[in-house]
Amino acid sequence: MSKNNFYIETYGCQMNLADSEVVAGVLNGKGYEASNDLNNADIILLNTCSIRENAEQRIYGRLGNLKKYKEKNPQTVIGILGCMAERLRKDLIEDKKMVDLVVGPDEYRRLPELIDAALHGEKGISVKLSRTETYDDIIPYREDGLSAWISVMRGCDKFCTFCVVPFTRGRERSRGLDSIVNEIKILSDRGFKEVTLLGQNVNSYNDNGNDFADLLAACAVVDRSFRIRFSTSHPQDLSDKLLYTIAEHNNLCNYIHLPVQSGSNRILELMNRTYTIEHYLDIIDKARKIIPGVSFSTDIIAGFPTETYEDHLATIDVMQKVRYDGAYMFKYSPREGTKAFKMEDDVTEDAKTKRLNEIIDLQQSISYELNQNLIGKEEIILVEGFSKKSDQFMAGRTDTNKVAIFPITESVKPGDYIKVKINRATSATLFSDYVGMVSDRNEKAQLTA
Ligand code: 5AD
Ligand code: SF4
């Protein structure tokens, strides 16, 4: 067995997936080799998430069953990366002695030396957060593919009262525009077809006066047939300029992930979200006027401290007004160190479950109805490969991130942009027929107009 194989397992959000590629980029340059096989790895790294309580419990569970690898090969180095590092380093390294390395999200450049030391039996902790680290110059390690992620900013300064991110990932900082544009060029040359620009709050991107709209415009012109997505937007920072920029460039997806969290102004204030629901709905209206065919997804928390059934109904009301294409829906869980942690977690588990289920059921029926409205319409999709459920079908995604499947067609291969006509739909999948190749992504405008 080679001494230098590393295996990374990633938990949590897309930012973590992007970070794992940065980590692999750092290690690859220093003589370590990426492995997809846990059994063939000397170094096992878990890139962790802290956002909700169950995310941390999952990691503890996983560490429990990784013990057997260490028993088989005591030389194996087990490391914790990412958001759990700062919060739980003492517990993980000193108290439970479960891991050899704990490395926070801003210290990945130090991984080669820390791993080297760990391979010689020294435990390592490195969890300092930085005000400047953006890994600008690190080329992330990616296998060939169609879709990639790029982190365009790190950290968050919003301090929503329920959220650990400002504590686990530190202050907001933006990566340089030129280095992002350059990475998109490299991806396009390698045959990638799509990128998602990531940040906890991409709308506050700022590189020497270039804002997020400037960044998107610069990315859009690199390769007109390259599809560009982005996530996540905070309602407070979403500018008109950004909406006009999305409308102007056909390869910027008409899709905005705009977390609302709650429909109740009282709860929004307790959450420190810094907008009212009226303001939020105004943004949605404006976006719909400026960007024809735009769709939205959101995040919702059920059962924040003091939430009454009336507050919950206000959330239901917003969902009915906006009619999101999709939603990530969570029960509130108190996170140590946050402001909300000091509030009494007074909504009972039963009430949280009931409210969450109502929210999920409503979203499912809205998704179903929105998808029914697409029957008979044409959509452009990026073909990704075979359908997961049947090898008679291929699958791709629309600009609004919906999965569409169509019968295998000889002339169509992964990476093609094609036009399909929707003939049937569930809440999760569009069933379609092949219509034709799209040679020019600029056709999108005519389809969605
Ligand atoms: N409890 C429940 N959901 C949370 N989120 C963040 N923190 C918490 C928490 N303490 C959700 C928010 C956020 C998404 C990424 O995770 O909805 O937008
Ligand atoms: Fe957390 Fe709020 Fe920042 Fe999102 S905007 S990462 S919810 S603090």
Side-chain angles (χ1 to χ4, degrees):
M1 187 163 70
S2 152
K3 257 275 159 230
N4 292 327
N5 284 346
F6 67 91
Y7 170 90
I8 310 181
E9 206 163 271
T10 308
Y11 293 79
C13 62
Q14 289 179 318
M15 298 279 297
N16 260 8
L17 289 163
D19 274 9
S20 289
E21 293 178 344
V22 167
V23 167
V26 168
L27 291 177
N28 238 23
K30 302 277 180 188
Y32 295 92
E33 217 169 286
S35 164
N36 289 325
D37 178 9
L38 195 56
N39 289 300
N40 180 32
D42 313 283
I43 303 145
I44 301 172
L45 303 170
L46 304 187
N47 191 1
T48 62
C49 170
S50 268
I51 197 124
R52 283 169 298 275
E53 198 179 7
N54 52 9
E56 284 181 358
Q57 280 159 1
R58 262 183 84 198
I59 304 282
Y60 275 107
R62 184 63 177 141
L63 283 174
N65 62 45
L66 285 178
K67 268 194 201 139
K68 60 174 182 277
Y69 292 91
K70 192 115 178 148
E71 280 158 14
K72 214 164 69 189
N73 176 11
Q75 307 277 297
T76 310
V77 168
I78 297 187
I80 288 286
L81 313 179
C83 293
M84 271 172 80
E86 158 68 21
R87 274 174 44 70
L88 296 170
R89 60 182 170 192
K90 188 167 168 299
D91 191 52
L92 288 163
I93 279 217
E94 290 164 21
D95 301 353
K96 298 218 174 71
K97 300 197 183 350
M98 289 174 115
V99 301
D100 308 291
L101 274 182
V102 178
V103 183
D106 289 341
E107 297 274 48
Y108 295 148
R109 285 177 200 273
R110 293 196 57 210
L111 264 171
E113 68 178 278
L114 291 164
I115 289 178
D116 219 31
L119 285 167
H120 292 95
E122 251 175 74
K123 300 218 181 257
I125 300 185
S126 190
V127 297
K128 266 217 325 265
L129 291 170
S130 156
R131 283 183 175 267
T132 53
E133 179 64 273
T134 57
Y135 300 112
D136 255 47
D137 54 317
I138 306 278
I139 304 282
Y141 173 83
R142 300 184 177 97
E143 311 221 323
D144 285 336
L146 299 173
S147 291
W149 304 278
I150 300 181
S151 287
V152 301
M153 56 175 304
R154 303 181 69 82
C156 183
D157 287 352
K158 285 280 177 257
F159 288 94
C160 302
T161 57
F162 51 79
C163 185
V164 285
V165 167
F167 308 101
T168 60
R169 300 187 78 94
R171 295 285 67 71
E172 210 167 83
R173 65 220 102 111
S174 299
R175 184 176 160 181
L177 182 143
D178 292 342
S179 89
I180 297 165
V181 166
N182 200 35
E183 203 171 321
I184 292 183
K185 278 194 193 118
I186 294 171
L187 287 169
S188 160
D189 289 345
R190 271 182 69 185
F192 280 81
K193 299 285 178 188
E194 177 181 88
V195 70
T196 307
L197 305 182
L198 297 173
Q200 305 294 342
N201 171 22
V202 285
N203 304 116
S204 58
Y205 177 88
N206 184 340
D207 173 40
N208 288 320
N210 285 312
D211 63 14
F212 188 59
D214 298 327
L215 174 67
L216 276 183
C219 293
V221 297
V222 171
D223 172 354
R224 287 288 184 191
S225 66
F226 203 85
R227 182 151 80 174
I228 295 169
R229 304 182 181 283
F230 58 93
S231 188
T232 292
S233 295
H234 189 292
Q236 192 199 335
D237 302 321
L238 199 142
S239 66
D240 291 5
K241 178 177 167 191
L242 177 68
L243 298 176
Y244 284 109
T245 304
I246 298 170
E248 189 183 329
H249 297 274
N250 293 317
N251 54 335
L252 299 178
C253 284
N254 289 351
Y255 182 77
I256 305 177
H257 182 63
L258 196 65
V260 68
Q261 312 295 2
S262 167
S264 151
N265 281 334
R266 191 181 65 82
I267 296 293
L268 287 174
E269 195 168 344
L270 287 175
M271 288 176 162
N272 189 33
R273 287 293 290 178
T274 67
Y275 52 83
T276 61
I277 207 62
E278 291 75 19
H279 177 57
Y280 181 93
L281 291 171
D282 279 350
I283 297 173
I284 300 264
D285 278 350
K286 201 174 348 168
R288 287 200 161 126
K289 282 197 192 102
I290 295 173
I291 313 168
V294 67
S295 65
F296 298 93
S297 59
T298 201
D299 293 347
I300 295 174
I301 298 178
F304 187 80
T306 77
E307 185 189 77
T308 61
Y309 197 70
E310 220 178 6
D311 294 319
H312 164 68
L313 290 180
T315 300
I316 297 274
D317 185 51
V318 172
M319 293 174 74
Q320 278 162 339
K321 283 191 175 124
V322 179
R323 294 173 65 75
Y324 296 103
D325 264 46
Y328 300 91
M329 299 157 284
F330 314 101
K331 275 187 218 173
Y332 169 71
S333 68
R335 310 305 292 128
E336 211 175 330
T338 61
K339 242 183 169 176
F341 191 73
K342 299 196 193 92
M343 304 175 194
E344 192 190 342
D345 182 19
D346 60 352
V347 180
T348 63
E349 187 58 27
D350 273 3
K352 280 185 194 169
T353 305
K354 188 164 167 277
R355 291 176 198 175
L356 180 65
N357 285 340
E358 282 179 25
I359 288 169
I360 292 172
D361 287 349
L362 174 60
Q363 183 53 46
Q364 242 200 326
S365 64
I366 292 173
S367 297
Y368 179 81
E369 285 162 24
L370 291 176
N371 286 354
Q372 297 307 303
N373 293 343
L374 292 175
I375 293 175
K377 301 235 163 74
E378 288 186 354
E379 289 275 330
I380 289 178
I381 61 170
L382 171 62
V383 180
E384 292 177 352
F386 287 107
S387 151
K388 281 198 192 107
K389 292 201 181 121
S390 159
D391 58 10
Q392 306 294 305
F393 288 85
M394 297 189 87
R397 271 173 205 274
T398 66
D399 272 14
T400 57
N401 218 9
K402 291 176 194 277
V403 175
I405 66 170
F406 60 98
I408 289 184
T409 309
E410 211 174 306
S411 55
V412 175
K413 56 183 192 318
D416 288 340
Y417 279 103
I418 63 165
K419 211 182 285 179
V420 292
K421 187 168 184 176
I422 316 300
N423 59 47
R424 186 161 77 81
T426 64
S427 62
T429 310
L430 305 173
F431 296 80
S432 65
D433 292 310
Y434 173 65
V435 174
M437 279 290 160
V438 177
S439 49
D440 178 4
R441 286 268 312 148
N442 289 323
E443 268 190 67
K444 182 183 104 171
Q446 289 139 33
L447 283 180
T448 51

